[in-house]
Amino acid sequence: MKKIFIQQLIAEAKIDSNVIVRGWVRTKRSSKNVTFINLNDGTTIHNIQCVVEGGQIDETILAKINTGACLEIQGKLIASQGAQSVEVAVQSVNILGEADPEKYPIQPKKHSFEFLREKAHLRPRTNTFGAILRIRHALAFAIHKYFNDNGFYYLHTPIITGSDAEGAGEMFRVTTLDAQNPPKTEEGKVDYAQDFFGKETNLTVSGQLEGELGALALSKIYTFGPTFRAENSNTSRHLAEFWMIEPEVAFNDLQDNMDLAEDFLKYLIRYALENCKDDLEFLDKRFAEEEKQKPTQERSEFGLLDKLRFCIENNFQRMTYTDAIEVLKNAKKKFQFPVDWGTDLQSEHERYLVEKHFKKPVILTDYPEHIKAFYMKLSEDGKTVRAMDVLFPGIGEIIGGSQREENYDKLKKRAHQFGIEEESIWWYLETRQFGTCPHAGFGLGFERLVLFVTGMTNIRDVIPFPRYPKSAEF
Ligand code: 4AD
Ligand code: MG
C-alpha cells in the first residue's frame, strides 16, 4: 500500500497498484449499486474519483461521507471509463474528519466571492482558491529564481522602521505604550522616548530606502516582503497589508530600470504559463464564463490565456507623462477626473491608455516632480523626475519605480520640501556623501501581479487572508 498525494497519483502511479489517498470530499453521487466520491487534496486542481461498489462499505460510514469531510481511502488504481484518466476502486474508507452537511458552508455550487471572503478559513478548499494559491506560490518561487539566476542578492529589510519611505504618512504605528494612559512630555505630547524603541516607529510602507543601502554595497539586490499602508482606500486594488518585490541596482539609469521591469514581468508571466498549465486552464474557463455575464461592451476582447500570451509577445509601450497627458486630453472619452499637466493620473486614465488607446502594457516616465516621492532623481528641466510606472490592462499601476537622486544637496532639499525630517533618514542621506553613484529600482505589488495572472478582479481574493479597512479576521 502506497500513501500518495493526488498530483503524484495522477502523474505517475501505475494501473493496478494499491494506493492510499487522503483528501477532502468535493462531491458524492450515489446510484443504486455504486457511489462516486470526488476527492481533492489541494496538490492539484484535479480530483480523484473514488468508486465504491454496492456493499463494499458499511451504510453508516457511507452516510457520513459528505462534502467537506476528510477521508483516507484504500483502493486499487484502475483506468477510468469517464473523463478522467484514472480512478480508485475503493476497498476501505477511514473517515478522518466529518463535515456536517447542515453546517459546512462550502457546498458544491457557485458561491459569491463576497461570501467566500467571510469564509477565508475554508475557501482554499474551492477549485478557484486552490488554483490561485498554487499560482501565487509558483510566482513567488519564480521571483526568487529570476533574481538568483541574474546575480541579485536577496536583502532582508526591516518590517519595523522609524522612517516613512514614501513620505505619504500612511503608516501603522508600532508601540507598546499604554493606549489608555501614555506617558506625556512636559508639552503634553505622547512621550515616545519612553516607548519600546525609544522613538516613534511604524510598520514599513516599503523596503526601498534600506534596499538602496544594500545596492550601494552589493550592486544588485532585491527585497520581497510584507508592506503596510494605512490608506483608507476601499478599492479592488488596494490592501492594507501586501507583499512587495523591490529590486535596486547600482549604476542603472531609468532606461535600464525599464528594461529590467519589462524583462522581469515577462519572465514571471511566462513562468506561470509554463508551470501552472492546469490551474490557468481552469481559471481561463472561469474567466470566460464571468465575461459572458457582462454587457457586451464591457467584455474583454481576450481570454485570460490570450491576454497573458499577448503580454509576453509584445513590447511595452514607453512614453512620457507629458505625452500621455496629450493623449488623454485628445481622448473622446469623458473622464470623471479632468486631466491637465501636473495632476496625478487616476486609475480611469491609466486604464484608458492601456486598454483603449495602446491596447498593451504601458510604461509612463518623467512625471511632474511634485506628485512623486522625494527620493526620485530630478531631471535637468527641474520640473520632472526620472520616475516610471508600469501600467497593465485591468490593473492600472502594477510597478512604480525611478532612478534615485544621488546628489546629496538635491536629495536633502527635496526631503525638506516634502517635510521629511532629516533625523529620520540621516543614514540614507549619508550614502550620498560617501561613494554615491547613479542607481535605480522599482516596486512590484505582488498581489497586483497575482491578480493579473489569475484574471481575478478583486485583490482581496488573491491573498490568503486579506487585510483592509474594518477587516482583520483570520
Ligand atoms: O508605487 P509605490 O508606492 O512605490 C514604492 O513603494 C517604491 N518604494 C517602490 C520602489 O521604487 N522600490 O508601490 C509600488 C507598487 C505599486 O505599483 C503597486 O503595484 C503596489 O506596490 N501597491 C499596492 N498593492 C496593493 N495594495 C496597496 N495598497 C498598494 N500600494 C502600492
Ligand atoms: Mg506608485
Side-chain angles (χ1 to χ4, degrees):
M1 278 291 164
K2 190 178 176 202
K3 289 182 183 170
I4 191 165
F5 287 97
I6 295 172
Q7 184 204 40
Q8 216 186 337
L9 177 91
I10 293 173
E12 60 200 45
K14 294 197 175 57
I15 297 291
D16 286 340
S17 60
N18 289 314
V19 292
I20 297 176
V21 287
R22 286 76 41 98
W24 294 269
V25 177
R26 285 294 171 80
T27 56
K28 180 180 81 171
R29 192 161 47 87
S30 293
S31 63
K32 231 186 293 159
N33 297 321
V34 59
T35 299
F36 298 99
I37 303 164
N38 264 314
L39 208 63
N40 187 286
D41 67 1
T43 55
T44 155
I45 186 93
H46 301 296
N47 300 328
I48 184 77
Q49 175 162 280
C50 303
V51 187
V52 185
E53 297 293 343
Q56 183 82 31
I57 305 292
D58 195 272
E59 282 299 320
T60 54
I61 292 182
L62 218 47
K64 289 181 187 162
I65 298 175
N66 295 303
T67 296
C70 189
L71 311 181
E72 179 177 73
I73 289 181
Q74 278 192 26
K76 186 187 255 186
L77 195 70
I78 55 173
S80 172
Q81 279 97 26
Q84 59 283 354
S85 57
V86 289
E87 58 189 33
V88 172
V90 177
Q91 290 153 356
S92 72
V93 175
N94 178 12
I95 299 181
L96 299 176
E98 291 179 39
D100 183 342
E102 300 292 311
K103 294 187 183 140
Y104 185 62
I106 315 284
Q107 290 300 323
K109 61 167 195 173
K110 223 176 168 64
H111 294 291
S112 75
F113 288 130
E114 288 77 16
F115 172 81
L116 289 172
R117 243 167 261 152
E118 288 166 17
K119 311 285 176 211
H121 57 311
L122 297 169
R123 69 178 181 174
R125 293 192 201 170
T126 63
N127 281 333
T128 301
F129 285 93
I132 292 167
L133 292 179
R134 285 184 296 269
I135 292 170
R136 192 182 157 103
H137 159 81
L139 287 169
F141 179 79
I143 286 163
H144 288 297
K145 180 163 167 53
Y146 177 87
F147 287 126
N148 186 61
D149 291 354
N150 285 285
F152 285 68
Y153 295 111
Y154 181 24
L155 184 77
H156 293 96
T157 51
I159 307 288
I160 301 173
T161 73
S163 56
D164 179 0
E166 291 303 299
E170 293 164 335
M171 298 173 300
F172 289 101
R173 173 153 294 151
V174 174
T175 178
T176 53
L177 293 180
D178 179 0
Q180 305 296 332
N181 187 22
K184 297 274 174 70
T185 61
E186 279 172 12
E187 297 99 69
K189 291 195 179 138
V190 175
D191 186 8
Y192 287 105
Q194 294 187 44
D195 204 347
F196 189 91
F197 296 106
K199 62 183 205 160
E200 278 185 69
T201 50
N202 46 270
L203 295 177
T204 188
V205 296
S206 154
Q208 180 197 322
L209 301 191
E210 292 89 352
E212 284 185 50
L213 311 182
L216 294 179
L218 305 176
S219 286
K220 298 201 274 187
I221 66 93
Y222 71 104
T223 75
F224 187 172
T227 47
F228 307 86
R229 297 207 181 164
E231 51 190 335
N232 209 346
S233 14
N234 248 311
T235 79
S236 57
R237 286 175 184 78
H238 290 86
L239 289 164
E241 176 181 294
F242 62 100
W243 289 68
M244 190 158 32
I245 299 98
E246 297 183 276
E248 191 72 35
V249 184
F251 321 116
N252 264 10
D253 62 12
L254 187 64
Q255 207 64 34
D256 303 320
N257 208 28
M258 286 193 274
D259 293 344
L260 177 64
E262 184 165 343
D263 187 58
F264 178 49
L265 285 170
K266 285 179 171 169
Y267 174 89
L268 297 176
I269 295 167
R270 191 176 301 118
Y271 186 91
L273 280 167
E274 284 168 7
N275 293 278
C276 307
K277 279 204 183 77
D278 293 356
D279 287 322
L280 280 175
E281 270 163 26
F282 170 81
L283 290 174
D284 185 57
K285 287 198 193 95
R286 231 202 111 262
F287 185 83
E289 276 167 33
E290 296 270 303
E291 289 300 307
K292 265 192 236 152
Q293 313 290 321
K294 292 184 187 166
T296 333
Q297 68 273 20
E298 283 175 30
R299 274 182 214 165
S300 156
E301 289 169 42
F302 287 125
L304 174 61
L305 289 170
D306 302 331
K307 188 181 77 160
L308 299 180
R309 284 191 204 108
F310 181 84
C311 253
I312 54 177
E313 283 160 8
N314 289 279
N315 289 336
F316 296 2
Q317 180 72 40
R318 299 180 184 190
M319 126 181 286
T320 64
Y321 164 93
T322 304
D323 289 345
I325 291 292
E326 283 312 304
V327 171
L328 291 167
K329 277 179 152 176
N330 293 328
K332 289 205 183 71
K333 184 179 159 63
K334 278 265 156 288
F335 295 113
Q336 195 191 340
F337 295 91
V339 271
D340 213 348
W341 200 94
T343 56
D344 207 355
L345 296 184
Q346 302 293 326
S347 169
E348 57 170 342
H349 307 129
E350 296 175 339
R351 295 186 59 174
Y352 174 83
L353 290 171
V354 174
E355 290 158 32
K356 296 281 178 311
H357 190 80
F358 291 114
K359 296 186 191 290
K360 58 172 163 167
V362 174
I363 310 182
L364 288 188
T365 61
D366 302 282
Y367 285 72
E369 55 86 19
H370 63 275
I371 59 172
K372 289 291 184 187
F374 77 98
Y375 49 71
M376 297 192 181
K377 184 177 172 65
L378 198 61
S379 297
E380 299 283 302
D381 63 15
K383 288 188 294 201
T384 58
V385 281
R386 308 246 68 199
M388 62 169 214
D389 276 7
V390 181
L391 313 178
F392 257 40
I395 306 287
E397 180 191 334
I398 193 163
I399 277 181
S402 72
Q403 188 173 336
R404 317 307 187 186
E405 184 55 78
E406 84 264 27
N407 178 286
Y408 177 71
D409 295 319
K410 287 185 189 163
L411 181 62
K412 218 169 110 156
K413 195 164 147 211
R414 261 181 83 73
H416 182 74
Q417 281 167 356
F418 278 75
I420 294 166
E421 288 168 22
E422 227 180 290
E423 305 87 82
S424 73
I425 54 160
W426 63 269
W427 40 270
Y428 182 71
L429 294 169
E430 260 194 18
T431 55
R432 273 60 170 177
Q433 287 182 303
F434 307 129
T436 190
C437 71
H439 60 288
F442 60 81
L444 166 66
F446 187 49
E447 284 72 21
R448 293 202 185 166
L449 171 74
V450 182
L451 199 56
F452 180 73
V453 172
T454 58
M456 297 293 289
T457 50
N458 195 317
I459 200 163
R460 296 170 186 181
D461 297 330
V462 298
I463 185 165
F465 306 106
R467 299 287 178 256
Y468 49 93
K470 302 279 174 285
S471 179
E473 200 66 50
F474 312 107

